[in-house]
Amino acid sequence: MKKILVLVFTAIFLFSFGQKKMNNVEYKNSAEVFTIKGLSQSTSIDCGNSRMILLSGQVPLDAAGNLVGNDVEKQTQQVFKNIESILKEYGATGKDIVKLGIFITDISKTPDFRKIRDLYINLQNPPVSSLVEVSRLFRDDVLIEVEATAVIKNK
């Protein structure tokens, strides 16, 4: 009998102080970034004390869907402008990025990418990154696509 009471009180204790149920996944789009119907620009996952924000691959299109730039440097500026606009929806910035996935059509242009990237990220603790050269992206005039993951503290 004593063991059953201990078990019952332990269960009540654990359920009383366990993490409360909540909708821990949220999807957002930014009006400042071109949106393709049926695709989300980002999702965030509540991780308790922090929130992880996952961004879909960002390309150098403005809010109207027009290509910005014809070289990696100019296109990267638009990509990071899009990333910043989406992160802003969550109260985050590029300094909160912890991982980047970079898809580039000419790996020799990596220094041009890094020059712009370094204006947006935390250089003291730069994000982990994967850089992949691809033969082409979804359009022939798009030279770069960047995925980002950021982490912020919950308020």
Side-chain angles (χ1 to χ4, degrees), residues 32-36 59-68 138-139 141:
E32 297 176 32
V33 179
F34 182 69
T35 302
I36 298 172
V59 292
L61 301 179
D62 63 15
N66 301 311
L67 180 72
V68 175
F138 82 106
R139 285 178 24 182
D141 54 354

Side-chain angles (χ1 to χ4, degrees), residues 46-146:
D46 187 341
C47 301
N49 292 332
S50 61
R51 180 167 287 281
M52 181 169 46
I53 306 162
L54 305 159
L55 277 68
S56 62
Q58 295 302 305
V59 292
L61 301 179
D62 63 15
N66 301 311
L67 180 72
V68 175
N70 57 1
D71 61 30
V72 168
E73 190 173 328
K74 287 184 181 97
Q75 289 193 7
T76 300
Q77 287 173 335
Q78 182 63 40
V79 165
F80 275 95
K81 181 179 175 189
N82 293 347
I83 288 171
E84 285 281 330
S85 294
I86 295 168
L87 289 175
K88 183 178 169 187
E89 294 291 323
Y90 297 98
T93 71
K95 305 295 184 196
D96 298 306
I97 295 172
V98 296
K99 173 143 184 18
L100 290 172
I102 303 109
F103 305 91
I104 192 166
T105 58
D106 182 354
I107 207 156
S108 72
K109 302 295 183 185
T110 301
D112 296 335
F113 163 77
R114 286 186 180 150
K115 183 167 80 172
I116 302 304
R117 177 208 62 182
D118 289 353
L119 300 174
Y120 290 90
I121 64 166
N122 177 347
L123 291 174
Q124 298 301 315
N125 295 299
V128 297
S129 299
S130 298
L131 174 66
V132 180
E133 183 177 40
V134 294
S135 60
R136 75 185 290 251
L137 291 161
F138 82 106
R139 285 178 24 182
D140 289 333
D141 54 354
V142 173
L143 307 174
I144 190 159
E145 181 171 338
V146 179

